[in-house]
Amino acid sequence: LHKLQNMVDISHQLQAAPSVEALAGNRELVLSAKVNGFTDEQIAARISDRSHDPQGVRSRETVDTEVREMRKQLGIVPSIKQIDTLAAEFPATTSYLYMTYSGETNDTAPF
């Protein structure tokens, strides 16, 4: 239940951001959202209703793209991790890889 409450708390903090530009000033919140499983689209959905331009409300796709670009500019990108399926007893010939925002270094070179 604590993990769910943490996600609700992060969601409320994201909703408090008036714009993508304001959210860019809070790298720790963006990183926390990504580590806890929020997609760029979910982050955008929490702030898009209050992101206005001179013609009116920006489209969801525009805000999604802005969130993605802001995240990359903040240096928040996933790390590539490798699963050792043989418990280091034998050299693994097949790489099982996954991407995560929880790591800081890659286990293998990016493609």
Side-chain angles (χ1 to χ4, degrees):
L1 289 175
H2 293 290
K3 289 185 180 183
L4 289 174
Q5 183 61 51
N6 190 34
M7 292 181 74
V8 170
D9 292 343
I10 291 168
S11 180
H12 288 147
Q13 291 174 13
L14 292 170
Q15 289 172 341
S19 66
V20 176
E21 295 79 17
L23 188 60
N26 193 343
R27 184 183 189 282
E28 292 304 315
L29 176 58
V30 177
L31 179 60
S32 179
K34 295 304 288 182
V35 167
N36 282 282
F38 284 83
T39 65
D40 292 336
E41 291 81 11
Q42 289 170 325
I43 293 170
R46 278 148 183 82
I47 59 175
S48 65
D49 292 340
R50 292 175 313 285
S51 296
H52 297 281
D53 64 11
Q55 286 77 34
V57 178
R58 290 186 268 183
S59 71
R60 172 71 76 75
E61 292 79 20
T62 301
V63 179
D64 290 353
T65 303
E66 290 174 1
V67 168
R68 186 172 295 106
E69 290 303 315
M70 176 265 305
R71 175 181 54 78
K72 289 179 181 179
Q73 289 174 356
L74 292 173
I76 301 173
V77 294
S79 299
I80 301 171
K81 297 295 180 182
Q82 183 174 13
I83 299 172
D84 183 5
T85 58
L86 300 176
E89 293 182 25
F90 305 99
T93 58
T94 306
S95 293
Y96 291 95
L97 305 175
Y98 67 98
M99 297 180 83
T100 180
Y101 285 91
S102 296
E104 293 183 12
T105 60
N106 294 318
D107 288 349
T108 186
F111 313 151

